[in-house]
Amino acid sequence: MDLRLIRKIKGYIMLFLSTLAALIGVVLLFAILYKVIMSGLDGLNLNLFIKDEAPAFLQASGGLRHAFIGQLLITVIASLIGIPIGILGGIYLSEYAHNTKTGRFLSSLADVSISIPTIIIGTFIYSILVRPLGHFNGWAGAAALAVILIPIVMRTTEESLKLIPWQLREAALALGTPMYKVIKDIVIKSALTGIFTGVSLAVARIAGETAPLLFTSFSNNTLSFNMNEPVASLTVSIFTYASSAFENWISLAWAAALVITVFILITNIILKQIMKKRSY
Amino acid sequence: MSENIVEKEIEVKDMSFFYGEKEALKNVTLNVEKNKITSLIGPSGCGKTTLLRCFNRMHDLYKGNRYTGEIIFKNQNILDKNIDITKLRTDIGMVFQKPTPFPMSIFDNVAYGLRLKGIKNKTELHNRVEHVLKKSALWNEVADRLSSSAMGLSGGQQQRLCLARTLAPEPDVVLFDEPTSALDPISTKKIEELMQELRGSITMLIVTHNMQQAARISDRTAFMYMGELVEEDATDIMFTYPKKQMTEEYITGKFG
Ligand SMILES: Nc1ncnc2c1ncn2[C@@H]1O[C@H](COP(=O)(O)OP(=O)(O)O)[C@@H](O)[C@H]1O
Ligand SMILES: [Mg+2]
């Protein structure tokens, strides 16, 4: 056979295989979305948001208000702790430690922490904030999420700041501006969209975490604002409800899964859109 | 003739500069005359930018850079470690190759250096911003949009804005590093005209790779080659009867 024909056939095989692989990925994604939407819509009603857990055997229509609020509480506190630390860390890496060994080391350390399975972070927080106190508590959950959040925010901040040309910093310094003011007035302001996007993606990411909460804030079947006690969260509730034997609980779990999926999907789409606009 | 009573603004005395181990300037000695325009010319990589950035100690920003020798300005050696760099940079401003507008309004850009100096009074700020924008031939173009972002200006306008921003705190010296190389001919002409108007009241040092520009606008020209200052003289002499053969070869286009 002539060489061109062989090449052509090889080309078609390659095209076929990669298209197939892409299709499998897309089909799986849509299958998941389809299942979540179909099963989620059944249990989706106002009670989900305004009622707390009802004992499953009563077959009463309970809700997951306690879990929504608990999740929000933990996520907000984790963000309040994690975002400032992450941003300051990113500023350090980009502005003060750029091109230094320490900077590069800390940067790769942050990259490594981003890829640590979150269950390990949960276990670690368990050993320092749950075991010593003797019971699960909301603070531990928030701390675990903050630990996940910090390196992500740190690295995205660093990358956003590094995109700002050095000449802009030099121009500000050349006017006699002190370094901290250059960072505050010029650099951060130029990188604001990037930092904001990174922070939001990171928050959306921790909002969907289950594993680190299982060992830390655990769960609570009533509405509680006491961070010293176990606090309910959507993701852990989904886990418990979905693996229970009660029809109405399973249906609630699907509804909650739908809410969380839609939330994360929408935030991601909006933020990716913002990022696209910014980078011409 | 009054030509003989020249006043020196800056005296570079046997100055060398190192990027780490690399000696980028070798024993440079140069007098910069007050309120004149001095051009720095020479082939790419000869050290023009490096020399310019010594005058406002911009090199301090990066680790491993080192100076030896002296640069005397206002009776002080500005290479001295204990000098007040903020003050030095208020006295010696800089305009860069690419326009560098800050991410804020046109007004705030020009007012930036004034606020740094501690001027807070609104009327005074406004008057001084208006004054310097008029001086930079930008007022007519931006008067009705002072509060809009400086990023919306054209490249040439941005560069004039940067010049206005540099002039606002009233420096004694302004350093220009190829300020027109990113601009179109009309914008270039405007910047050159501005420089002509400032001549006599401000000392200007300009790095340019464009020999016509040096000949057109400057009173004095210095020729550099491989980190050394080969020759410095009145521009008309440098472009007609340079003393050194190397200068002549460069000017007549034999290398570069
Ligand atoms: N940051 C730096 N680190 C090391 N060497 C540099 C650096 N910047 C410039 N140089 C070197 O110093 C020499 C002079 O550079 P420069 O002053 O930029 O030349 P010019 O402005 O005349 O084109 C060149 O050989 C250049 O490669
Ligand atoms: Mg240069």
Side-chain angles (χ1 to χ4, degrees):
Chain A
M1 245 193 313
D2 98 79
L3 208 63
R4 269 180 56 202
L5 192 65
I6 295 178
R7 284 211 185 114
K8 227 175 179 177
I9 292 173
K10 279 185 179 165
Y12 282 128
I13 293 175
M14 194 62 208
L15 180 68
F16 174 75
L17 286 179
S18 39
T19 312
L20 189 68
L23 267 178
I24 292 175
V26 174
V27 166
L28 276 178
L29 177 68
F30 276 98
I32 293 170
L33 278 178
Y34 178 79
K35 179 69 186 152
V36 169
I37 291 170
M38 283 313 165
S39 316
L41 282 175
D42 277 344
L44 196 64
N45 57 44
L46 201 59
N47 282 344
L48 179 70
F49 303 103
I50 59 171
K51 289 201 173 162
D52 297 337
E53 180 168 320
F57 56 83
L58 291 180
Q59 292 295 317
S61 55
L64 283 169
R65 183 183 65 155
H66 63 300
F68 277 108
I69 291 180
Q71 179 96 38
L72 195 69
L73 190 66
I74 294 175
T75 308
V76 166
I77 292 178
S79 303
L80 288 179
I81 303 169
I83 293 172
I85 297 179
I87 290 183
L88 286 172
I91 291 173
Y92 171 77
L93 289 181
S94 152
E95 304 304 306
Y96 294 102
H98 64 102
N99 288 338
T100 65
K101 273 197 190 123
T102 333
R104 275 191 292 270
F105 174 71
L106 289 175
S107 243
S108 16
L109 202 65
D111 281 339
V112 172
S113 358
I114 290 172
S115 51
I116 291 178
T118 51
I119 196 156
I120 293 177
I121 291 170
T123 322
F124 167 70
I125 297 292
Y126 174 83
S127 71
I128 59 167
L129 286 178
V130 176
R131 268 280 284 278
L133 298 175
H135 55 86
F136 296 112
N137 62 86
W139 292 117
L145 293 190
V147 169
I148 301 170
L149 186 72
I150 289 169
I152 307 178
V153 173
M154 206 156 110
R155 291 286 287 127
T156 49
T157 303
E158 182 192 358
E159 291 309 320
S160 310
L161 295 180
K162 278 188 171 163
L163 286 179
I164 309 305
W166 268 96
Q167 211 172 47
L168 195 61
R169 297 170 174 83
E170 291 186 352
L173 288 167
L175 275 174
T177 319
M179 194 61 184
Y180 78 90
K181 242 174 113 53
V182 176
I183 295 171
K184 178 169 81 67
D185 295 350
I186 316 286
V187 183
I188 293 191
K189 229 172 142 189
S190 309
L192 215 52
T193 336
I195 297 175
F196 172 77
T197 323
V199 166
S200 314
L201 283 173
V203 171
R205 156 92 198 276
I206 59 163
E209 282 293 340
T210 326
L213 297 181
L214 271 173
F215 298 103
T216 50
S217 50
F218 190 54
S219 192
N220 193 328
N221 48 21
T222 54
L223 179 63
S224 163
F225 293 98
N226 186 353
M227 291 289 284
N228 296 319
E229 294 296 323
V231 175
S233 57
L234 263 189
T235 38
V236 176
S237 293
I238 292 174
F239 174 74
T240 345
Y241 280 36
S243 46
S244 77
F246 311 107
E247 276 301 317
N248 55 338
W249 271 26
I250 294 176
S251 159
L252 274 179
W254 277 114
L258 175 61
V259 172
I260 226 172
T261 309
V262 168
F263 166 75
I264 292 177
L265 215 62
I266 291 180
T267 7
N268 271 281
I269 291 173
I270 294 176
L271 295 171
K272 294 258 156 79
Q273 221 54 40
I274 294 178
M275 283 212 281
K276 232 192 249 159
K277 267 212 196 98
R278 204 173 51 99
S279 55
Y280 312 108
Chain B
M1 278 210 321
S2 62
E3 290 274 308
N4 296 332
I5 333 163
V6 287
E7 212 183 323
K8 283 180 258 173
E9 179 88 79
I10 303 174
E11 263 186 279
V12 184
K13 288 184 177 169
D14 200 22
M15 200 245 325
S16 298
F17 176 82
F18 303 81
Y19 289 112
E21 293 301 307
K22 184 187 159 67
E23 186 175 24
L25 295 175
K26 293 168 199 146
N27 308 94
V28 171
T29 294
L30 170 71
N31 291 334
V32 180
E33 292 186 13
K34 195 176 173 66
N35 299 343
K36 298 256 170 82
I37 300 179
T38 301
S39 288
L40 296 175
I41 61 168
S44 175
C46 69
K48 306 179 294 292
T49 297
T50 305
L51 176 58
L52 201 70
R53 288 160 66 91
C54 291
F55 295 116
N56 65 351
R57 295 269 300 266
M58 203 42 103
H59 295 300
D60 288 31
L61 189 54
Y62 306 95
K63 271 218 185 96
N65 293 346
R66 190 159 56 83
Y67 318 78
T68 64
E70 291 184 334
I71 298 180
I72 308 293
F73 171 68
K74 293 193 166 173
N75 302 317
Q76 273 195 89
N77 176 15
I78 60 172
L79 298 180
D80 193 321
K81 285 214 165 53
N82 302 318
I83 198 173
D84 179 356
I85 293 217
T86 303
K87 175 78 174 68
L88 172 71
R89 290 175 182 167
T90 340
D91 290 339
I92 303 186
M94 186 169 213
V95 174
F96 294 77
Q97 185 167 0
K98 284 203 198 110
T100 51
F102 297 158
M104 49 185 79
S105 73
I106 294 171
F107 182 90
D108 288 340
N109 259 277
V110 183
Y112 199 86
L114 298 171
R115 292 196 169 113
L116 272 180
K117 267 190 152 180
I119 301 171
K120 290 200 182 78
N121 182 297
K122 280 216 170 111
T123 337
E124 190 186 352
L125 273 179
H126 196 278
N127 289 342
R128 292 184 62 164
V129 168
E130 180 175 340
H131 173 75
V132 77
L133 280 173
K134 280 181 174 158
K135 203 155 90 176
S136 315
L138 202 57
W139 179 251
N140 291 336
E141 291 158 64
V142 301
D144 57 346
R145 50 169 168 159
L146 288 178
S147 55
S148 45
S149 168
M151 303 300 190
L153 297 172
S154 74
Q157 289 173 324
Q158 286 185 356
Q159 193 65 314
R160 274 179 286 147
L161 181 75
C162 292
L163 178 54
R165 186 177 68 197
T166 305
L167 294 176
E170 302 185 332
D172 303 294
V173 181
V174 176
L175 311 168
F176 297 85
D177 193 353
E178 304 198 18
T180 61
S181 65
L183 302 183
D184 59 88
I186 294 172
S187 303
T188 300
K189 189 156 171 269
K190 282 188 178 155
I191 296 274
E192 288 183 4
E193 281 166 5
L194 285 171
M195 293 181 70
Q196 293 307 319
E197 273 164 42
L198 294 169
R199 161 200 237 157
S201 52
I202 288 185
T203 304
M204 286 172 276
L205 262 158
I206 174 172
V207 167
T208 174
H209 61 230
N210 179 335
M211 271 183 286
Q212 283 79 21
Q213 184 172 54
R216 238 181 356 249
I217 64 173
S218 58
D219 305 290
R220 314 275 308 175
T221 297
F223 171 63
M224 295 182 67
Y225 186 70
M226 289 179 70
E228 289 182 56
L229 195 118
V230 178
E231 178 172 9
E232 190 268 353
D233 212 326
T235 298
D236 44 7
I237 296 178
M238 283 288 279
F239 281 94
T240 44
Y241 303 109
K243 291 183 190 68
K244 302 267 167 68
Q245 195 190 341
M246 202 187 286
T247 313
E248 184 172 340
E249 282 175 6
Y250 180 71
I251 283 165
T252 52
K254 291 218 176 80
F255 70 97

